[in-house]
Amino acid sequence: MDYFKSKVLSQTETAKGIYLLRLQVPEQQIKPGQFYMLKSWEDDFLPLMRPISVYRYGNGILEFLYRMVGKGTLLFSRLESGDEVDLLGALGNGFPCTEVKGKIALVGGGIGIPPLYETAKTLRSLGNIVDVYLGYKDDLFLVDEFADTCDDLFIACENGYEGYKGYITDIVNHEKYDAIFTCGPEVMMFNLLKNSTLEPSQLWLSMEKRMACGIGACLTCNCETTHGMKRCCSEGPVFRGSEFTMN
Amino acid sequence: MKININGITFKNPIIAASGTFGFGKEYHQLYDVGILGGISSKGLTINPKEGNAGIRVYETASGVMNSVGLQNPGVEKFIAEELPWMKQTGSVVIANLGGGCLEDYIAGIELLNETEVDMIELNISCPNVKSGGMAFGIKADVAYEAVKAVREKCRKPLMVKLSPNAENIIEMGQACEKAGADSLSLVNTFKGLAIDIKQRKPIFNNLYAGLSGAAIKPIALRMVHEVCKNVRIPVIGLGGIYTTEDVIGFIMAGATAVQIGTANFTNPLICKQIIEELPGFMEEIGIENWEEIRGVIQ
Ligand SMILES: Cc1cc2nc3c(=O)[nH]c(=O)nc-3n(C[C@H](O)[C@H](O)[C@H](O)COP(=O)(O)OP(=O)(O)OC[C@H]3O[C@@H](n4cnc5c(N)ncnc54)[C@H](O)[C@@H]3O)c2cc1C
Ligand SMILES: Cc1cc2nc3c(=O)[nH]c(=O)nc-3n(C[C@H](O)[C@H](O)[C@H](O)COP(=O)(O)O)c2cc1C
Ligand code: FES
């Protein structure tokens, strides 16, 4: 983990309100599912850095895919090549790619999709069969990229624009899999967990909480688990399904 | 660069503020926290606390609101698991002690008395614990009784951390001094409110939360100035410090040292960078020790 400056190589709007930010960085040790805290503004203007998951990394190029939703991501969306971005990371535990074996499903919803990309690549390189399920509201993104990195790709779109019309969780056949990794809206992930035929300990959920320090010091990113309050930033963001009680 | 507070030597006047820095371990992954003048621990209570449910942090204009609710492992676990590591960093170790009632404070003090903790910072101002915390820090006569009772038991230097929500900050400082506090730190967070207008609900489960960061600096500085003018014991200033200039400002207002909280979130290396800048800054403004500028603002 390090705090350092990076340079913007390029930025493109890949779908409506969804931006791909490519940064030049020194060599990084990154586990799939980890994230960075980012900022691109003067110190005390927006006091908090913003957590964004790693989408893709290689050859000193770190890529983030984010949705513009508020002040910070609006400022990110204005970045141009040559601009500076402050990074703190890589942070969090990431997905436990070496703890699973066999047939793995990755289920992503909306802006929870990007961190599954490196995860799919890693799981496959470890010899697993990897099916990817992507759920969208309307605009699709990253579909081609995933098509090249998984065994089977399933798409659901709430407006029926492409693939299954409805929620992605409707079309996951749990019985086919040895383990499931998921990242997306909490309702989606908990739905998946509730309806799974797998042991809850064989599902891993990547949680999203508001964060301040990002490194485990301030206790603001509280995630309520069956093992007590945990820090989403440092003990997560990935938690086992068995750490949540479903009711 | 050195300063002395209540007989304890600090390498420099920069202290990491309670609740923003854990017990130092996390930031130590980024830099040697032993370079800090001191570290004030996460607020401790005699029994472990889970803290508040719901959202705990919310960004505002140049500020941050928090409602962590004193989540901590309890004094005993702190002593067993965190203190030995903190001590070996070489920074002054300040145990920040909170509580719901006087008995809790006393029980905590009695355990900490027996340890290598350098100083106690008594948090009479945490606005997040519904039962009590706040009350001590609001009324000067209530604070007086609490600090006096703690003082009788406390064998460590006792710093009392004031709430800016006190009815009268000068009377509060004087009451704590009279009750036997060795030093004061101020300010803690300002009680504030954030509303989710779409849901017509408060953002925080506890309704109110504490505001910190650059947004509070001018008020914090004014309060530090007022208290410094009216007490004789050392005052540690904090509230929205982000730069070396801010540090000098607090010292000119009368502070002996400063603490840095929220700014650690904005820039995790901020304390280190300020410590590195200070010697050059002293040279630039032509001073050799802090006494030359301390309290120059009348
Ligand atoms: C571990 C993790 C990974 C993430 N990965 C991605 C990603 O890959 N792509 C992406 O688009 N988004 C991601 N997010 C969500 C992203 O952090 C928020 O969308 C972003 O912080 C919003 O900032 P803003 O200033 O635009 O919004 P504002 O609403 O103006 O932000 C105000 C404050 O609330 C916080 N906040 C607002 N929404 C969220 C949220 N959903 N989650 C956490 N904090 C929030 C902000 O960080 C900021 O402190 C991730 C969040 C977490 C916790
Ligand atoms: C997330 C967070 C947690 C805090 N926890 C504590 C605490 O446990 N005890 C305490 O005395 N102050 C606590 N504080 C208050 C800070 O120590 C400090 O007094 C306040 O934030 C003002 O300084 P700043 O503007 O530099 O942050 C906390 C502040 C924040 C932001
Ligand atoms: S964001 Fe500070 S502990 Fe997680």
Side-chain angles (χ1 to χ4, degrees), chain A residues 1-3 39 43-50 88 210 212-213 215-220 222 224 228-229 231, chain B residues 19 21-22 26-27 29-30 50 52-59 62-64 68 71 214 242 265-269:
Chain A
M1 181 218 300
D2 212 351
Y3 178 67
K39 80 166 190 280
D43 271 354
D44 59 6
F45 171 41
L46 294 181
L48 299 179
M49 300 180 79
R50 302 310 199 239
L88 173 64
R210 277 159 196 265
C213 72
I215 62 175
C218 73
L219 311 182
T220 58
N222 52 314
E224 258 173 83
M229 272 311 176
R231 295 163 295 181
Chain B
F21 213 75
E26 289 80 16
Y27 283 94
Q29 296 171 269
L30 293 165
E50 277 269 283
N52 294 334
I55 284 185
R56 288 185 176 183
V57 65
Y58 182 79
E59 192 183 69
S62 290
V64 168
V68 172
Q71 182 182 338
Y242 266 81
F265 305 151
T266 320
N267 170 358
L269 300 182

Side-chain angles (χ1 to χ4, degrees), chain B residues 70-104:
Chain B
L70 284 188
Q71 182 182 338
N72 80 94
V75 175
E76 269 177 69
K77 213 164 170 193
F78 162 76
I79 293 170
E81 294 175 15
E82 309 291 349
L83 181 58
W85 186 87
M86 285 181 86
K87 274 305 287 184
Q88 60 78 42
T89 61
S91 272
V92 171
V93 177
I94 304 170
N96 180 288
L97 183 66
C101 58
L102 194 53
E103 290 70 34
D104 289 355

Side-chain angles (χ1 to χ4, degrees), chain B residues 17-19 42-43 66 70 96 123 161 187-188 212-213 238-240 261-262:
Chain B
S18 175
K42 172 65 201 167
N66 90 83
L70 284 188
N96 180 288
N123 175 12
K161 184 166 181 181
V187 295
N188 208 315
S212 62
L238 73 154
T262 304

